[in-house]
Amino acid sequence: MLYDDVFSPYARKVRIALYEKGVPFERVRALHGDCNRTDFLHVNPRAEVPALVDGDFSLYDSTIICEYLEDRYPRTVPLPARSPASRRVSPPRRLGGHAA
């Protein structure tokens, strides 16, 4: 269960991590009336989003949550290896193909 808010960039960071890892989760809008405030304060006494509950375990702070998710759900498909030469950026092309 992820306690979050649509306007929080920190909660958005955690949602992206969960989506990218394919981890199913339930969203609870913690700051705009979807939850019992006492329950939320039990998970995060600072009353800030995001906060994550995974079974009997809960934690807060987006960076800590993302580190936990990386440990708990490591990437199963690594990023494709690329040679340094393939990472070069080509110079920008002129629009219309005409020299200035």
Side-chain angles (χ1 to χ4, degrees):
M1 178 181 312
L2 176 67
Y3 290 91
D4 77 345
D5 184 76
V6 295
F7 299 110
S8 169
Y10 305 107
R12 188 175 309 120
K13 176 171 90 170
V14 172
R15 284 195 312 271
I16 289 170
L18 288 164
Y19 289 136
E20 286 295 317
K21 292 181 168 298
V23 177
F25 65 99
E26 175 188 350
R27 284 179 69 185
V28 177
R29 293 184 324 163
L31 304 180
H32 291 96
D34 277 358
C35 76
N36 178 323
R37 183 124 173 110
T38 305
D39 292 342
F40 177 50
L41 289 174
H42 180 69
V43 173
N44 184 352
R46 292 173 16 191
E48 297 174 349
V49 294
L52 180 76
V53 177
D54 188 10
D56 292 334
F57 185 69
S58 63
L59 66 163
Y60 51 90
D61 184 276
S62 63
T63 300
I64 302 297
I65 293 171
C66 287
E67 289 174 358
Y68 167 77
L69 292 172
E70 189 59 34
D71 290 343
R72 177 97 160 82
Y73 306 99
R75 289 184 188 262
T76 55
V77 181
L79 295 174
R82 293 181 9 179
S83 69
S86 70
R87 296 171 199 239
R88 267 187 298 201
V89 177
S90 359
R93 292 184 267 173
R94 289 187 166 77
L95 294 176
H98 302 290

